[in-house]
Amino acid sequence: MQNSKVKNQKQDLGNAKQQIKKIAPVKLGVYNMQGGKIEEIDSVFGGPVNMALVSQAVKMYLANKRCGLAQTKTRGEVSGGGKKPWKQKGTGRARAGSTRSPLWRHGGVVFGPHPRDYGYGLSPKVLNGALLSALNDRALNDGILVLDKLEIASAKAKEMRAVLDNLKLKKKILLVANQHEKGVVLSSRNIQGLSLALAKDLNALDVLKASTVVLLRSSLDVLKNRLFPNAKK
């Protein structure tokens, strides 16, 4: 009995050690445009993933994208129906005041949808926590790499495609930059599966949509200052 307890404790300890290793910050590989690995750098990603924050943020982003244009007409909005169909008494039929009653064919709709705004907001602390958790998840699954620099001489898609091929990236790629450069924007807009984002505007939904997140080295400091504003520099 004691041996089984000791065995279980050892298993729990081993699982705990594995979890600690899993949530330890990971090193990110830095690559050049030719696909060569330059170095590995320490990162702030790879910590625990808070699925509750991620869920709240994703629901908010999806709700804010809804147009809310569904519309039905009430009995007062349907055309016609101004005349009383028949007199109130003496016909033997149920009394009726309008042919646009919700009980009638071609009548109005009761409690139907009307244009509305589904959008709402969350605190920056929650949104940044969700973004950090999403980046942690990608880092733990080898879904983040750092690009030393990205220089596109002519705004042509084949140059951007060549860079992605050198990095062996095929689809669902998110490129995070510090600022929009005209050459990068023009050369990437016609490549299927590639999306661009600024480090200051990056959100958890963008990260979760991508299989691989490519961070330009210049965007790392922006993300660090945004996610850890109180950290010592």
Side-chain angles (χ1 to χ4, degrees), residues 98-164:
S98 172
T99 57
R100 298 300 178 258
S101 167
L103 303 179
W104 285 47
R105 181 169 175 263
H106 299 308
V109 179
V110 182
F111 304 128
H114 296 282
R116 54 165 290 192
D117 182 13
Y118 288 90
Y120 63 96
L122 293 173
S123 69
K125 186 175 181 180
V126 172
L127 297 180
N128 287 338
L131 174 59
L132 179 60
S133 292
L135 290 171
N136 287 341
D137 179 72
R138 288 295 176 264
L140 292 172
N141 292 285
D142 298 326
I144 296 180
L145 60 87
V146 179
L147 191 60
D148 186 41
K149 59 182 178 179
L150 182 60
E151 297 176 349
I152 305 295
S154 58
K156 293 184 178 180
K158 65 179 183 180
E159 293 192 14
M160 178 64 76
R161 172 51 64 188
V163 175
L164 299 179

Side-chain angles (χ1 to χ4, degrees), residues 10 14 31-32 48 73 94 109 126 147 159 222:
K10 287 183 178 180
Y31 297 82
N32 55 27
K73 292 184 177 181
V109 179
V126 172
L147 191 60
E159 293 192 14
V222 177

